[in-house]
Amino acid sequence: MSRRRQIYEGKAKILYEGPEPGTLIQYFKDDATAFNAQKKGTISGKGVLNNRISEHIFTLLGTIGVPHHFIRRLNMREQLVRQVEIIPLEVVVRNVAAGSLSKRLGIEEGTPLPRTILEYYLKDDSLGDPLVTEEHIAAFGWCGQDELADMQDMAIRINDFLSGLFAGVGIRLVDFKLEFGRLWEDDYARVILADEISPDGCRLWDMASGEKLDKDRFRRDLGGEVEAYQEVARRLGLLPEGSANSVVNLDSARKARDAR
Ligand code: TMP
C-alpha cells in the first residue's frame, strides 16, 4: 500500500486521504469486532466481500435517487468516496425483532414488527453507543431537525428498496444500520448516505432455512462467517454461481471448524 495519509481508523475500515480534495479512500479490513470491541477477531476475506457488496448496494441506491458518498471501487479492498462530516448517529432500521431490541423488550427473535422501527444510537465508543431518542438529538444538537427528517426519509426508502432486493434472492432483511454525513457545498450542507452497507451491519436471514447470513455468525460464535458473506454476494450476483457454499453447507462449515 502506498504511503497515503491516514485520516481515521475504525474497527472494520481505514480512511485515507483521496487523490482529489473532498475525496477519501475507504479501505475494508478483515477485522471484526462485537459488543463495543470487547470481542475481536478476523474474518479472512471479509473486507473484499464487504467492499464489493457495499459498492453494489450503494450503486443501486444511487439509481433510485438516494444521495450517497460512494464514487467508485478502486480495487479489491478500496473504494473512492466523497469526504463528508459524519453525523454522530447510527440509524438502525428494524423490520423483525432481533438483537438488542429483543433483549431490551423481551420480544422473541424473529417476531415480525407491527411497523418498521427506526432507532438512533449515539456514536460514542466510550459510552458503548447508547440508544438515544429524538428528544436527545434535538436537545444536544447532534443534527438539525431537517437533517433528522432527511435521514428518516432516506432510511425508509432504503429499507423499502433493500427489503425487496433481498427478498428477491430469498433473504429476509431483519434489520440494518446506516450512517449519514454532511456534504458541504459552499455554505450549505446536504445529508447523504455514508459508511457501508454489508453483512457487518445488517441482519440477513435465509428465508427458507432461517440461517443467519451476517455478522451474528461472528457475534454468536456460529462459525461459517466467510461462507455466509460469500453466499450473500453470490445471491446478489457478485460471485459466479457455484463459487460459494450453499446455505445448506453452512452447517457443515461450522461442524468442520468445530472439529478442528
Ligand atoms: P442490535 O440489535 O445489536 O442493536 O443491532 C441492530 C443492527 O445494527 C444489526 O443489523 C447490526 C447493526 N449494528 C451495527 O452495524 N453496528 C453496531 O455497533 C451495532 C450495535 C449494531
Side-chain angles (χ1 to χ4, degrees):
M1 220 187 306
S2 62
R3 262 178 269 280
R4 291 175 302 222
R5 194 159 74 91
Q6 185 175 310
I7 306 283
Y8 173 81
E9 177 156 12
K11 295 179 194 119
K13 295 189 294 296
I14 304 174
L15 294 175
Y16 296 99
E17 199 170 60
E20 294 128 39
T23 64
L24 295 176
I25 292 168
Q26 184 163 258
Y27 176 93
F28 288 76
K29 301 191 280 186
D30 284 345
D31 297 350
T33 65
F35 317 116
N36 203 21
Q38 289 176 60
K39 178 180 166 88
K40 288 189 181 141
T42 38
I43 303 174
S44 187
K46 170 176 84 85
V48 173
L49 290 160
N50 282 356
N51 185 22
R52 193 71 187 82
I53 292 169
S54 197
E55 170 196 20
H56 181 68
I57 291 178
F58 273 67
T59 302
L60 291 176
L61 288 172
T63 67
I64 63 154
V66 174
H68 59 66
H69 76 159
F70 177 81
I71 302 172
R72 68 174 182 277
R73 188 165 60 85
L74 297 171
N75 55 50
M76 298 275 277
R77 286 190 184 268
E78 295 178 327
Q79 45 182 246
L80 186 66
V81 300
R82 268 177 228 291
Q83 184 162 26
V84 295
E85 184 183 293
I86 288 287
I87 292 172
L89 296 170
E90 298 193 345
V91 177
V92 168
V93 183
R94 298 184 186 271
N95 299 307
V96 176
S100 68
L101 178 126
S102 288
K103 210 167 169 187
R104 186 178 301 114
L105 303 179
I107 301 172
E108 193 184 344
E109 287 208 314
T111 309
L113 295 169
R115 49 165 281 177
T116 297
I117 294 175
L118 297 184
E119 292 177 344
Y120 313 97
Y121 293 84
L122 179 65
K123 271 173 70 68
D124 185 328
D125 285 340
S126 64
L127 298 175
D129 295 351
L131 178 67
V132 295
T133 68
E134 290 191 39
E135 288 280 296
H136 296 117
I137 296 170
F140 297 111
W142 293 316
C143 71
Q145 287 300 108
D146 292 355
E147 291 179 328
L148 184 61
D150 285 349
M151 291 194 287
Q152 289 167 337
D153 288 349
M154 281 190 261
I156 295 298
R157 287 191 69 205
I158 293 166
N159 183 49
D160 288 345
F161 179 79
L162 292 186
S163 293
L165 177 76
F166 282 115
V169 295
I171 292 174
R172 195 170 180 204
L173 179 60
V174 170
D175 57 31
F176 60 99
K177 186 261 296 185
L178 299 172
E179 292 189 28
F180 296 90
R182 297 183 184 100
L183 183 66
W184 286 93
E185 284 158 351
D186 299 320
D187 286 343
Y188 179 76
R190 193 158 63 95
V191 177
I192 68 172
L193 178 68
D195 193 48
E196 70 181 293
I197 299 180
S198 73
D200 265 12
C202 301
R203 284 199 174 89
L204 303 169
W205 294 355
D206 178 63
M207 279 181 169
S209 66
E211 191 83 71
K212 295 184 198 320
L213 302 175
D214 57 60
K215 204 170 114 182
D216 270 349
R217 299 204 76 84
F218 170 76
R219 294 190 191 96
R220 303 180 186 195
D221 295 318
L222 299 175
E225 292 93 338
V226 135
E227 291 81 358
Y229 283 50
Q230 280 174 345
E231 179 64 20
V232 173
R234 191 187 63 75
R235 293 214 200 163
L236 292 173
L238 307 175
L239 294 177
E241 286 295 321
S243 63
N245 290 322
S246 71
V247 173
V248 189
N249 288 338
L250 273 173
D251 261 342
S252 40
R254 177 171 55 228
K255 283 184 193 126
R257 200 181 82 146
D258 290 348
R260 265 182 246 140

